[in-house]
Amino acid sequence: MSVPPSLGPVARLREHNERVLQLRQHIRVVRLRQRLMYGFGAGVVLCVLGVAVPTALTWQRFDMAPFNTVLILLGVVCVVGFVGSSWIETIRHEGPQPGTSGDRMTREELELDLEIAIESRLIDATPLDIPIRNRQFAYSESIPEELDQLRKESHRYRRRHNFFQLLIIIGLTMLVAICAGITGYYKFRERSFNLQQTADSIEEHANAFHLALPPYDNTDPAVNLALLTARVETLRVEQRRREQQLDQPPETRDPSG
């Protein structure tokens, strides 16, 4: 809303002050709405992680359905809140005529209007014959506000930095936990060791059979072949038994196996 040029310098200055105060109030309201939107967005992410990570770590061992149901309901609420708060993130400003409404404005547009209003106030205040003492007082009164704005900007960027650092730490921690849970559940190292051990044993018997080494040094080839078949099948059975033991929970395994 522009200040009518027909007003006198003092009246225009008063209008500019009112406009600046109004814009600052709008910016505070929009900032609160943005924080609300970010909070709902973070809630959605946390609910998704709260469902995915524990379910992956406890798959087929614990029933996470009751816990997941609560998190899913909370996630739906956060999604609705995020969508609603993203719509009210803007604010409707006054129209060109008193008592009318204009378009909705974002925080960036409000901050731009605030800068323009401050510049317009300075331009209209220049022709006024204001005593030096009053100008110095007005300038000194504006310093705390400027310092407060600088501190707010500094704190905002610091919070963003800490948030992303924390997000990186949490993400890496969760990734390590997920990888550790998967490797602990599927036991890739133990399976690799058992398979390699079985392969080495079968290869040893096969070489001994082809080179006619004991116990495959019988003069009858049929006897040696039957012995090789029996040994190889025994190794395969032992391999399958070890695989079944790995698939069982630790508390149900046979200690002697």
Side-chain angles (χ1 to χ4, degrees), residues 3 9 12-21 24 114-128 130 138 142 145:
V3 177
R12 288 202 303 270
L13 187 59
R14 187 181 300 112
E15 290 288 339
H16 285 306
N17 289 333
E18 294 178 358
R19 177 63 175 165
V20 168
L21 293 175
R24 285 174 177 165
L114 177 61
E115 294 179 5
I116 295 174
I118 293 175
E119 290 293 331
S120 301
R121 182 177 63 179
L122 292 176
I123 293 173
D124 283 344
T126 302
L128 298 178
I130 301 176
S142 65
E145 182 181 355

Side-chain angles (χ1 to χ4, degrees), residues 129-144:
D129 188 15
I130 301 176
I132 298 297
R133 183 177 181 82
N134 292 347
R135 293 182 183 181
Q136 291 175 345
F137 178 77
Y139 182 78
S140 63
E141 286 294 317
S142 65
I143 291 178

